[in-house]
Amino acid sequence: MKAYKMENQPRWDGDDRRGSPRVAGEGLINAAVIDGFGQTRSVLRHAQVVNVSGGGLAFTSEVSAEVGVTVSIRTPQVRAEPFRVQIVGSSQRGDGHCELRARLVEGAIPACLMYDW
């Protein structure tokens, strides 16, 4: 059996993990899984923002989505351009909702989701 030497690691602060700062978000969004032609395949019901960054967002939904699918997102309360994200992670929460983590692939995250404008 090989012995491993424990080495001190510099304190991790998360800065090396993401290029854009993440902030808490709020509000409902309209989210739909789309195909390669931009047509809706399924609707992610009762989608609500958890947190947002310039590079993506996390949101909850009553319906799960597979990692790798593209999701079109619109903001129903504030007029903003729709944008598209790709699901990069999914986990089930204790309240029965699914938390989906997504990276931005087209468009821009609207300021209304970041700053409650």
Side-chain angles (χ1 to χ4, degrees), residues 30-88:
N30 294 333
V33 175
I34 58 173
D35 63 19
F37 300 103
Q39 300 300 310
T40 299
R41 288 183 23 205
S42 64
V43 174
L44 302 175
R45 293 186 312 268
H46 302 283
Q48 187 164 348
V49 175
V50 173
N51 59 54
V52 183
S53 75
L57 77 157
F59 62 97
T60 61
S61 171
E62 286 183 351
V63 179
S64 182
E66 293 179 25
V67 170
V69 299
T70 301
V71 176
S72 177
I73 298 182
R74 298 178 186 273
T75 54
Q77 290 91 3
V78 177
R79 186 171 215 186
E81 289 294 317
F83 59 99
R84 292 181 180 180
V85 296
Q86 181 180 41
I87 302 298
V88 296

Side-chain angles (χ1 to χ4, degrees), residues 7-20 22:
E7 295 180 17
N8 288 335
Q9 298 294 320
R11 186 177 179 105
W12 179 74
D13 62 7
D15 287 340
D16 59 337
R17 191 169 161 223
R18 87 178 52 252
S20 302
R22 180 173 37 183

Side-chain angles (χ1 to χ4, degrees), residues 83-98:
F83 59 99
R84 292 181 180 180
V85 296
Q86 181 180 41
I87 302 298
V88 296
S90 175
S91 58
Q92 196 66 34
R93 295 171 29 138
D95 62 3
H97 286 82
C98 185

